[in-house]
Amino acid sequence: MPDAAGAPTEQGMAKGAVTADETGARGPGWNPARLYDEYRFAGHLPRRGLLRNGRPALSGIDPRRVARYVLLTVRDPLCAYDEYPAEQIARRLDEAQRIGDSGMFTTYSGLSEGVPVTVVAGGSGSPEAELIMHELLEFTDADTFVRVGGSGGIHPRVNPGDVVVSTGVVRDEGMTRAYIPASFPAVAHHEVVLAMSRAAVELGCAFHQGVTRSSDSDFCGVGRPGVGGYFQPWHLDILETWARAGVLNGDRESAAVVTLAGLFGKRSGSVCSVADNAIADKPFVAGSGHVAAIDVALRGVVQLARLDAARAASGGAHWVPASFESVAENR
């Protein structure tokens, strides 16, 4: 149950639980960077990435001003933003200040209901998401990354205007395979899923929890015709194949955010609006549901901050809901 300030009480926490992954990233005598340390070209390359005027070169961010919670958006005309997405969301923050602008990425930090949050906007697709994720992971203390954007519906029960809170992502793009084989799962962190879902309920949004598929192609690779109606036999079954598997929606960035965050021990998730659904014969509506997705993400960050405060107060390693026995005892 929440206390007077709306934060979960310590009764919702698992006390004294210490798990193996909290004992340190390195086991005894094991150095995960050893392979690179022995790479014959290691001395020829900047270990952490490129810098320009003392800042990460691709984003231009001031790492000291990046909040713990980061929302990642793209310059997507299909979302029908009124202005540059980072600026549009920043206008909804208190004390918002621009902390980076490289021409490729624009970044603001401010407060959402008193919670520090950073929002960054850049180009579309998994390769570009890799660039900003690398600099955020390498140079800042941020530990929670949420992709906020638009998507297309895949499963027929998902309608334009709905919001999808991803529980996991099909890695059907190419960038993440440069890091780890496709068998490595892209799993949204359960705390992020919980917080975003709670926010959607509070706001009364039509939303779904489920799997998102990310691809590089926005045409043939998602069952849409290429130039002049170009199509191949294997394109005919793309939509129904993933719909039969229960996949809800498709985008281009969620796999990058969720895979890289998970690979480097951080939390992540994805909150996407749905603009159309070919299987359900629901035509495209620019920006449909996207304000709702932004609302969910901003309120969800506030929920995450409350969960994190409850975990810190309990001394536990993870936030865990109260057991049924504990709930019954406290009624």
Side-chain angles (χ1 to χ4, degrees):
M1 295 292 291
D3 62 16
T9 66
E10 294 184 15
Q11 295 168 356
M13 304 294 300
K15 297 184 178 181
V18 178
T19 57
D21 60 312
E22 299 297 327
T23 61
R26 300 182 180 188
W30 183 65
N31 176 8
R34 179 179 176 182
L35 188 64
Y36 179 76
D37 292 339
E38 297 174 351
Y39 180 41
R40 64 186 179 278
F41 301 127
H44 302 179
L45 299 166
R47 186 182 181 92
R48 303 188 68 194
L50 300 174
L51 296 175
R52 184 179 179 187
N53 299 323
R55 292 189 175 194
L58 298 173
S59 65
I61 54 172
D62 180 348
R64 300 166 299 178
R65 300 172 68 188
V66 173
R68 176 179 189 179
Y69 309 104
V70 179
L71 306 182
L72 299 112
T73 69
V74 301
R75 298 184 299 269
D76 185 353
L78 303 184
C79 290
Y81 287 108
D82 296 327
E83 54 187 320
Y84 199 74
E87 294 174 353
Q88 181 171 330
I89 297 174
R91 291 186 189 280
R92 302 183 53 178
L93 303 177
D94 296 324
E95 303 177 22
Q97 293 186 333
R98 189 167 61 186
I99 65 167
D101 191 349
S102 66
M104 179 176 283
F105 298 101
T106 302
T107 309
Y108 286 82
S109 284
L111 301 174
S112 178
E113 300 182 44
V115 176
V117 59
T118 292
V119 57
V120 57
S124 176
S126 188
E128 191 130 341
E130 175 200 23
L131 303 181
I132 187 62
M133 284 296 292
H134 176 89
E135 295 196 342
L136 290 167
L137 289 163
E138 183 66 56
F139 293 104
T140 80
D141 292 329
D143 68 1
T144 304
F145 305 90
V146 181
R147 145 82 171 143
V148 185
S151 69
I154 293 178
H155 198 282
R157 68 185 174 90
V158 177
N159 296 308
D162 291 354
V163 171
V164 174
V165 176
S166 300
T167 56
V169 187
V170 179
R171 295 170 49 208
D172 230 2
E173 38 67 71
M175 185 278 296
T176 62
R177 299 185 194 190
Y179 284 79
I180 195 74
S183 53
F184 181 88
V187 181
H189 197 282
H190 67 279
E191 293 171 353
V192 176
V193 174
L194 172 64
M196 297 297 152
S197 299
R198 182 179 288 177
V201 170
E202 285 185 359
L203 295 168
C205 296
F207 83 103
H208 310 264
Q209 292 180 342
V211 176
T212 295
R213 173 183 179 252
S214 286
S215 68
D216 290 324
S217 170
D218 208 29
F219 291 93
C220 292
V222 294
R224 303 176 190 272
V227 176
Y230 176 83
F231 227 50
Q232 292 286 358
W234 56 86
H235 297 143
L236 296 171
D237 296 324
I238 288 175
L239 286 175
E240 288 187 302
T241 294
W242 293 111
R244 284 192 293 268
V247 173
L248 300 182
N249 65 321
D251 79 340
R252 287 163 42 84
E253 296 82 23
S254 292
V257 174
V258 173
T259 301
L260 294 181
L263 197 60
F264 298 108
K266 308 300 183 182
R267 297 186 302 191
S268 65
S270 175
V271 177
C272 284
S273 57
V274 174
D276 63 357
N277 191 313
I279 291 179
D281 195 21
K282 301 291 178 65
F284 169 74
V285 180
S288 183
H290 197 57
V291 171
I294 295 171
D295 291 343
V296 168
L298 290 173
R299 180 65 63 83
V301 164
V302 175
Q303 292 287 355
L304 268 172
R306 292 171 177 169
L307 295 180
D308 289 338
R311 175 175 58 242
S314 76
H318 302 285
W319 187 87
V320 179
S323 66
F324 291 117
E325 292 80 4
S326 176
V327 171
E329 290 170 0
N330 286 282
R331 282 180 176 173

